[in-house]
Amino acid sequence: PISAEDESMFDCDWSTFKSSNGDEVPICQSSAAKTVTCANGNYFVEVWYRRKGQDRPYYMEIGAERGACILEMLLETDATIVAFEPHPENVYSIKKTMSKLDRETRGRVALFPIGLSDEPMREEITIKSRNSPQQAFQVPIFAKRLDSMSGFFKMLSSAKILVNMDVQGFECQILDGMGEYMVDKIEVMKLKWNKEVSGNKCRDGKDFLDKLREKFGLQVRQQYSKGKYDQYLGQGKTPEKDGAHLYATMEGAPTKAK
């Protein structure tokens, strides 16, 4: 549900979301756009359907922003979706978008209005009201360790997880906050390469990739030509440029790249 307080602080412009297969639904955005799509295209959709005859994994978004990739998975699969998004304005947009969907479809989304980190965190941010631009509000943002959320793990049970992570340099804190529970659960993780990973849990981006390999047992690959092919990055190897698309996979897990 959307609170009266949120309605007084936030607003949005309605645009059209278009999935990779052409399905269209309304999406709440900060500014109007003709068409909105998921930046990952149908990457996770294809991974999902390559698991024929197997138990379907959960799809997890860490840094869901305004929910375009949530819609992609909702419209093109029957996945159960877990989304983490700490920014109150983005959370409002996702809730407004979900309100336009039927109950059964939106019922497949578990939205957590928090960030993930290696320790509990609370900070205040200032947001200007879109309804009354002269007004500004102090709004709290929260973060938790993933391994502190017992209800979350009870929901997942023994399922594997596809992870789409967009956290702009906070990758190491999030990995450490996963604890040991997520080891052997992450089947595919997609992220952007960031050479200078922030925080004191990883020395740099190379240290972060080594953590994916050593703690989580994932093989790291760099994606080229919008996913048409990839290159394996062995121990100690890193991409040459920031912003490269990477995915880390459990050995034997299905991926889109051939």
Side-chain angles (χ1 to χ4, degrees):
I2 302 172
S3 68
E5 183 181 22
D6 285 347
E7 292 284 16
S8 69
M9 287 191 293
F10 308 125
D11 195 6
C12 65
D13 294 313
W14 287 99
S15 301
T16 299
F17 172 83
K18 187 173 184 178
S19 75
S20 55
N21 285 330
D23 296 318
E24 296 184 354
V25 292
I27 184 171
C28 173
Q29 294 283 281
S30 59
S31 58
K34 288 184 178 180
T35 304
V36 178
T37 60
C38 171
N40 289 321
N42 62 349
Y43 176 84
F44 282 105
V45 173
E46 292 196 14
V47 172
W48 172 267
Y49 281 111
R50 288 190 66 191
R51 299 180 96 259
K52 293 178 181 178
Q54 304 178 51
D55 292 335
R56 301 295 195 193
Y58 280 69
Y59 172 72
M60 180 190 295
E61 285 232 1
I62 304 176
E65 298 183 337
R66 292 181 183 265
C69 292
I70 292 175
L71 287 177
E72 176 72 23
M73 291 298 286
L74 273 179
L75 296 178
E76 302 302 333
T77 75
D78 60 355
T80 298
I81 297 168
V82 180
F84 294 90
E85 174 53 52
H87 198 289
E89 195 165 11
N90 289 347
V91 171
Y92 171 83
S93 292
I94 293 172
K95 287 181 176 180
K96 292 292 281 188
T97 296
M98 293 297 107
S99 72
K100 298 290 187 179
L101 304 176
D102 63 80
R103 183 186 298 270
E104 181 179 355
T105 300
R106 67 175 181 262
R108 292 194 280 119
V109 180
L111 174 62
F112 291 85
I114 60 172
L116 296 179
S117 189
D118 59 335
E119 58 185 24
M121 181 271 289
R122 181 188 190 278
E123 66 178 43
E124 299 277 337
I125 63 170
T126 301
I127 295 178
K128 289 186 177 181
S129 170
R130 291 192 67 195
N131 295 319
S132 302
Q134 70 276 14
Q135 287 186 299
F137 301 90
Q138 290 294 114
V139 181
I141 285 183
F142 301 92
K144 291 184 177 181
R145 289 181 62 93
L146 187 62
D147 64 3
S148 72
M149 302 172 64
S150 58
F152 167 78
F153 292 124
K154 185 177 181 180
M155 178 181 68
L156 288 184
S157 184
S158 60
K160 300 296 185 185
I161 306 169
L162 308 178
V163 180
N164 185 15
M165 183 158 64
D166 184 3
V167 293
Q168 302 174 4
F170 291 92
E171 290 87 353
C172 282
Q173 290 95 319
I174 290 172
L175 286 188
D176 282 355
M178 289 179 177
E180 297 300 319
Y181 185 85
M182 293 291 282
V183 174
D184 297 329
K185 279 192 169 293
I186 298 173
E187 188 165 273
V188 177
M189 176 184 288
K190 194 169 192 297
L191 62 153
K192 280 187 178 181
W193 165 245
N194 184 350
K195 184 184 292 185
E196 300 300 329
V197 176
S198 66
N200 58 8
K201 297 297 180 179
C202 290
R203 294 184 299 275
D204 51 30
K206 174 182 174 298
D207 193 28
F208 166 69
L209 295 184
D210 287 342
K211 185 170 292 191
L212 281 175
R213 299 179 182 110
E214 295 165 8
K215 178 178 178 179
F216 292 91
L218 301 175
Q219 299 176 341
V220 181
R221 293 177 171 84
Q222 180 173 352
Q223 191 180 74
Y224 291 91
S225 298
K226 298 183 179 180
K228 293 181 180 178
Y229 64 97
D230 64 84
Q231 178 184 27
Y232 173 67
L233 297 174
Q235 191 72 22
K237 299 290 185 180
T238 62
E240 294 180 359
K241 296 181 179 180
D242 268 358
H245 290 276
L246 304 180
Y247 57 91
T249 64
M250 185 183 293
E251 185 174 359
T255 64
K256 178 185 175 184
K258 304 296 191 292

